[in-house]
């Protein structure tokens, strides 16, 4: 009997984390599906079962890889987990209750009023994309503050030339009501001046006490640009404690929730109590994620995207991946060890889709 659709389990070597339940419709035109699946399984670590899950680092990428390998007919639809946020667990909804979101001046240009999309007081992180004029960053932060939201501009140490420029930066943003920043080293290979790391800025004494909260970046998958990232993180956390500064740890976007869970528990074991904002992608087209992965790179989670043309070919522009599956799986891991994970929040990377990301998050909070 010819199988019209199958549920598959994709196991990537060394990962095997369940993230989604996509359905893949196969129309191989004259090929016995069962024989084809068995053959493909032996070559590509695919295992089939009547009730199975896709187990991979990223649900949509896993399904896309299968689609590319099977050469699915045009129009074949890859379905990620249900988009109905009412199915979210109580833990998922609790994590969403204090979510933050990321935007850029360009992404927010078409948004008349962010407060119509987001709950009052939502932290809106404003990314410092290279080439963006500082005045555009300041103007957007001023707008967000006026709308009753909490603007959190990115501050990149390597982009600042000297103490005078840092002082000007702090003055401009504090002048529009900002007292909360995300501090990061920045991607510049060559620093603009004496500041080479976020610790350099903290030690300068120019941020505190004007900035009441100074968040830093966490690297669940490590960092190719920072030696011993955990050591550096502990230095920042210790500085914050000594100076009575609130400091959240915002993780890079990661599609392997098991890795994120282990990272959170490891920080607690190392005596780091700070709230962790777990970075998840908002509802995003796979093609958008591919562009982001190619431009930025986020470690093992997106290695397949950067190195596998088959996956790129398999990404279908009409599909949209939601964070439901990732959030559901992460919540399940939290439920297994609530105390071990400590204080958690969600941070949503919108990849330019601020409206769709905000809509997804607020649906999840609806009674």
């Amino acid at each position: 009997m010819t199988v019209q659709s199958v549920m598959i389990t994709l196991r990537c070597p060394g990962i095997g984390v369940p993230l989604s339940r996509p359905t893949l419709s196969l129309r191989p035109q004259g090929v016995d599906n069962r024989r084809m699946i068995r053959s493909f399984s032996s070559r590509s670590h695919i295992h089939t079962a009547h009730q199975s899950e896709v187990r991979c680092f990223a649900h949509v990428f896993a399904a896309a890889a299968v689609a590319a390998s099977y050469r699915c007919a045009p129009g074949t639809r890859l379905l990620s987990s249900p988009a109905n946020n009412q199915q979210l667990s109580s833990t998922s909804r609790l994590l969403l209750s204090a979510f933050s979101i990321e935007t850029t001046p360009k992404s927010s240009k078409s948004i008349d009023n962010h407060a119509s999309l987001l709950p009052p007081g939502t932290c809106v992180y404003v990314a410092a994309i290279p080439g963006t004029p500082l005045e555009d960053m300041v103007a957007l932060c001023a707008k967000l503050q006026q709308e009753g939201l909490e603007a959190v501009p990115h501050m990149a140490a390597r982009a600042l030339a000297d103490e005078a420029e840092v002082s000007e930066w702090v003055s401009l943003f504090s002048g529009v009501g900002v007292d909360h920043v995300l501090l990061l080293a920045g991607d510049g290979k060559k620093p603009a001046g004496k500041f080479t790391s976020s610790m350099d800025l903290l030690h300068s004494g120019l941020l505190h006490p004007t900035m009441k909260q100074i968040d830093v970046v966490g690297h669940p998958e490590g960092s190719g640009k920072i030696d011993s990232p955990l050591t550096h993180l502990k230095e920042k956390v210790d500085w914050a404690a000594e100076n009575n500064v609130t400091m959240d740890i915002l993780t890079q976007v990661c599609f392997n929730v098991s890795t994120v869970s282990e990272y959170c528990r490891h920080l607690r074991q190392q005596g780091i109590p700070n709230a962790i904002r777990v970075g998840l992608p908002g509802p995003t087209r796979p093609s958008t994620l591919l562009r982001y992965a190619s431009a930025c790179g986020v470690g093992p989670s997106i290695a397949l995207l950067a190195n596998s043309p088959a996956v790129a070919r398999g990404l279908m522009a009409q599909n949209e991946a939601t964070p439901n599956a990732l959030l559901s799986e992460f919540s399940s891991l939290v439920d297994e060890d609530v105390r071990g994970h400590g204080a958690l929040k969600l941070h949503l990377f919108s990849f330019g889709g601020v409206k769709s990301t905000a809509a997804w998050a607020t649906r999840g909070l609806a009674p």
Side-chain angles (χ1 to χ4, degrees), residues 243-264:
N243 291 276
N244 198 29
V245 173
T246 301
M247 179 176 284
D248 287 356
I249 300 167
L250 191 153
T251 76
Q252 287 185 313
V253 64
C254 182
F255 304 108
N256 186 337
V257 292
S258 179
T259 296
V260 178
S261 172
E262 291 172 6
Y263 179 76
C264 294

Side-chain angles (χ1 to χ4, degrees), residues 20 102 104 125 130 147 174 186 189 209 225 245 288 305 326 332:
S20 182
E102 191 151 317
T104 65
Y125 288 68
E147 293 171 349
S174 63
K189 293 183 179 180
K225 300 178 181 178
V245 173
T288 301
L305 288 180
L326 291 169
S332 295

Side-chain angles (χ1 to χ4, degrees), residues 6 26 32-41 48 70:
V6 296
L26 303 176
D32 185 317
N33 278 331
R34 289 169 298 177
R35 186 176 68 248
M36 179 177 67
I37 292 167
R38 284 196 300 270
S39 174
F40 193 76
S41 297
T48 60
Y70 278 121

Side-chain angles (χ1 to χ4, degrees), residues 203-219:
H203 287 314
S204 73
L206 297 171
L207 303 186
H208 177 65
T210 304
M211 295 298 157
K212 309 299 183 185
Q213 178 164 344
I214 303 174
D215 296 343
V216 293
V217 177
H219 304 272

Side-chain angles (χ1 to χ4, degrees), residues 266-352:
H266 183 61
L267 292 191
R268 304 318 182 197
Q269 292 165 3
Q270 296 299 311
I272 298 177
N274 303 55
I276 301 173
R277 293 183 179 270
V278 176
L280 291 182
T284 312
R285 290 179 182 273
S287 53
T288 301
L289 288 177
L290 179 63
R291 288 196 299 272
Y292 171 83
S294 299
C296 303
V298 190
S301 272
I302 53 90
L304 180 62
L305 288 180
N307 299 312
S308 176
V311 175
R313 288 196 302 270
L315 292 170
M316 297 181 179
Q318 73 270 27
N319 292 327
E320 185 176 85
T322 69
N324 292 50
L326 291 169
L327 178 55
S328 176
E329 294 297 339
F330 181 70
S331 298
S332 295
L333 293 171
V334 172
D335 285 336
E336 293 174 6
D337 186 8
V338 175
R339 179 172 295 184
H341 283 82
L344 299 174
K345 306 173 185 179
L346 286 187
H347 179 73
L348 301 174
F349 290 88
S350 66
F351 301 109

